[in-house]
Amino acid sequence: MALFTFSGGVHPADGKEFAKNSPITEYLPKGDVVLPLGQHIGAPAQPIVSKGDQVLVGQKVAEAGGFVSANIFSSVSGTVKAIEPRMTPAGAKVNSIVIENDGEFKEAAFEAKPYDQMSKDDVLAAIKEAGIVGLGGAGFPTHVKLAPKDPDAIEYIIVNGAECEPYITGDYRILMETPELLIEGLNIVLDMFPKAKGIIGIEDNKKDAIAKVEALVKGDARISVATLKTKYPQGAERSLIYATTGRSINSSMLPADAGCIVDNVATIVAIKEAVKDGKPLYERVVTVTGDAIKNPSNFKVRTGTNVQELIEAAGGFKTQPEKIISGGPMMGMAMFTTDVPAVKTFSCFLAFTKDEVAANQPSNCIRCGRCVSVCPQKLMPAKLSVLADHNQFDEFEKLYGAECVECGSCSFVCPAKRNLAQSMKTGRKQVLANRRKK
C-alpha cells in the first residue's frame, strides 16, 4: 500500500513506548489553579471576574479580547484569589486569574441547543463561546479558522492524527479510546462545509488506531482515512496538506487558500463537546513521559493545574532530570521550573535523565548538505542561520527564510551540532514582524 508523505523530514526515535499503552485517566487538581489570559494566538482575554468572586467549573472568567482571541473558563470551583502575572510553561510571565480550589468541583449548568435545530452560525457561535483553540500546540482560535473568506472554496477538512512529535501519545489514546467522538466532531465541521470531504491522517506506526477509525467510517462517502508514512514532521500543517491532497501553501497563504482546513484530533473532539454538549474548553489530554518519569501517563487535565502535581501523579522522577520540556523534543520549549500551569496548548511534559543537547559543542559548518536534504520546505538552513545570526533579515527573506516551519529537522541531523533551528526561528520571527509593520 502506498503511504501518503512529503519530501524531506527525519526519523527520530519516537519514544512512544513509554506512554502509548497508558489509558487516559482523569486528574483533578489539588491546589490552586492559574489561568493565564494569553493561552492562544492573538489578543489576551479580558477578565470578567474580580478578586473574591466565587466561580464554578465551566464558568466563563475571561472574555476574548478581539476577533483573534478566545474565552477562558474556570476548571474548578472556588474563589478568585488574585489577578496577577504568573509564569507559563513557555517561560513568560502573563497576567493570570488565580483561583483557590475548594476541591468540590461544582459545575455551572451546561446548555446546548438541539443540534438538528442549529444553523451554521449557531455552530460557529458555540465553538467561539466555548473558547476552543488549536490543541495541537499552536493555539489558534478555532472559530476564526472555521470562518474562511470563501466557505464554498473549502474542499477538505483534514484531521491531524499523525502525532509525529516523539513521545507524545495523547491523540493516539483518544483515537484508541473514544474514536466515535472524533467522527462525531468531524461530521459537525463537515456539515458547516457541505462541499468538503473529511480526511483523517494517521501515521502507519499506529495501525491499531487506523483499524479502529477505518471501521467507524466504513461506507461513509464523506470521510476517509489516509495512512501516512511515519516521518517527522508529517503532522506539520503544510506537510499534512501536501501528503493528503498534493496541494502546497507558503508563509503568505492560509490552508483555506488551498481549499483546506486542518485541525488536530483533540480539537475536533472539543468541537463535538461544545456543540452537542454545551461544554466549554477547560480540560485536555496531557502526556507526562520521558525516561526520568516513574510511571509515564496520559491524563485528562484541567487547565490551570500545576505541572508539579502532574509529575507527582505520574509517580514523580526516577532521578532528578537534566532536562525538562513543555511539549515534544523537536519543537517543545525547555523549562526551568515545574511551578507553572498546564494551559490549553500544553500537550506534554517531558523529562530526560540526560541533556544530550547541552553536551553538544557546535563547530563550523562542514557543508555536508544534510540540513538541505531533510528540510520539508527545501530551504538552505546552514546559510539562512548565518544570515539570521548577523541580523541580515532582508537577505534572509530573499532566500525564503520565512518559509521555515520551525520543525527542527535541520538541527537534528547537523553533524556539526549547530543551532540551526533556533537561528532560523529568530530570523523568521523578525521577517514576519517586518512584514506586519509594512
Side-chain angles (χ1 to χ4, degrees):
M1 179 181 66
L3 300 176
F4 295 89
T5 191
F6 63 100
S7 173
V10 293
H11 296 267
D14 68 15
K16 305 286 188 183
E17 69 277 4
F18 285 101
K20 68 173 292 187
N21 295 319
S22 172
I24 298 169
T25 57
E26 184 174 17
Y27 179 80
L28 296 177
K30 297 180 175 62
D32 296 347
V33 299
V34 177
L35 302 173
L37 296 173
Q39 300 185 43
H40 47 263
I41 289 175
Q46 300 299 312
I48 56 173
V49 293
S50 303
K51 183 178 178 181
D53 286 354
Q54 300 294 308
V55 296
L56 300 172
V57 175
Q59 178 180 330
K60 191 195 301 184
V61 293
E63 288 186 332
F67 179 61
V68 183
S69 187
N71 295 334
I72 294 173
F73 296 81
S74 177
S75 59
V76 297
S77 56
T79 307
V80 177
K81 193 173 180 180
I83 300 176
E84 62 189 22
R86 289 293 187 96
M87 195 71 72
T88 68
K93 277 202 169 183
V94 175
N95 215 30
S96 307
I97 299 171
V98 183
I99 300 175
E100 185 176 359
N101 178 12
D102 64 14
E104 297 182 22
F105 302 99
K106 292 175 287 190
E107 293 187 350
F110 301 153
E111 295 182 2
K113 188 176 181 179
Y115 182 63
D116 58 4
Q117 298 177 22
M118 296 179 78
S119 66
K120 177 180 175 179
D121 288 343
D122 290 335
V123 171
L124 196 62
I127 293 168
K128 179 179 180 180
E129 178 61 25
I132 299 173
V133 302
L135 299 179
F140 191 80
T142 302
H143 69 276
V144 180
K145 186 178 286 190
L146 295 178
K149 291 180 181 178
D150 184 4
D152 290 336
I154 301 302
E155 298 178 66
Y156 297 103
I157 306 299
I158 304 171
V159 180
N160 180 5
E163 203 165 45
C164 64
E165 179 81 63
Y167 291 89
I168 306 176
T169 54
D171 284 351
Y172 167 74
R173 291 311 312 176
I174 292 173
L175 291 171
M176 290 300 294
E177 297 177 37
T178 55
E180 65 282 354
L181 299 184
L182 170 70
I183 304 304
E184 207 169 343
L186 178 54
N187 275 312
I188 289 171
V189 180
L190 286 171
D191 287 346
M192 298 175 70
F193 302 95
K195 296 180 180 179
K197 291 191 174 182
I199 301 175
I200 303 171
I202 308 174
E203 284 192 327
D204 69 335
N205 62 349
K206 305 173 183 70
K207 290 183 172 57
D208 44 3
I210 291 171
K212 275 182 175 285
V213 178
E214 282 185 335
L216 284 175
V217 301
K218 187 176 181 180
D220 191 326
R222 292 202 303 174
I223 301 176
S224 62
V225 177
T227 301
L228 307 169
K229 184 175 181 178
T230 300
K231 183 169 63 169
Y232 178 87
Q234 184 68 81
E237 200 166 58
R238 296 185 205 174
S239 300
L240 187 60
I241 289 171
Y242 181 80
T244 54
T245 70
R247 300 178 181 186
S248 299
I249 61 171
N250 57 41
S251 63
S252 63
M253 299 170 65
L254 295 172
D257 295 325
C260 303
I261 289 175
V262 182
D263 275 311
N264 91 313
V265 166
T267 308
I268 294 291
V269 171
I271 289 172
K272 180 271 172 189
E273 293 176 337
V275 174
K276 293 198 172 179
D277 307 330
K279 179 184 173 183
L281 180 62
Y282 61 78
E283 60 184 358
R284 64 155 302 146
V285 178
V286 174
T287 303
V288 180
T289 187
D291 65 355
I293 296 291
K294 283 186 180 177
N295 304 308
S297 305
N298 295 292
F299 296 115
K300 180 168 279 190
V301 176
R302 307 247 171 156
T303 51
T305 300
N306 191 280
V307 170
Q308 184 58 42
E309 285 193 36
L310 300 181
I311 296 166
E312 292 165 5
F317 295 129
K318 292 179 183 176
T319 182
Q320 192 61 31
E322 286 190 0
K323 189 157 198 172
I324 55 176
I325 298 173
S326 166
M330 299 297 287
M331 293 187 73
M333 300 283 289
M335 302 168 66
F336 57 85
T337 178
T338 56
D339 185 19
V340 292
V343 295
K344 292 180 183 181
T345 54
F346 187 79
S347 61
C348 178
F349 174 81
L350 186 54
F352 288 127
T353 55
K354 298 292 182 184
D355 185 353
E356 296 180 7
V357 174
N360 294 333
Q361 292 299 317
S363 61
N364 292 333
C365 175
I366 62 172
R367 301 182 183 276
C368 65
R370 293 183 191 179
C371 59
V372 177
S373 68
V374 301
C375 178
Q377 296 305 117
K378 301 179 175 63
L379 304 177
M380 296 185 289
K383 187 166 186 176
L384 286 164
S385 65
V386 172
L387 294 173
D389 290 343
H390 289 84
N391 298 326
Q392 294 176 304
F393 300 118
D394 288 341
E395 292 300 314
F396 183 91
E397 184 172 17
K398 287 178 183 176
L399 284 180
Y400 306 101
E403 301 307 318
C404 172
V405 294
E406 302 178 14
C407 67
S409 296
C410 52
S411 290
F412 179 77
V413 299
C414 179
K417 308 302 181 187
R418 298 178 65 214
N419 298 320
L420 301 173
Q422 291 84 346
S423 297
M424 296 274 286
K425 185 174 183 178
T426 299
R428 179 175 182 270
K429 186 179 293 185
Q430 187 60 53
V431 166
L432 295 179
N434 291 343
R435 284 184 184 178
R436 285 192 291 271
K437 288 179 183 177
K438 292 177 182 177

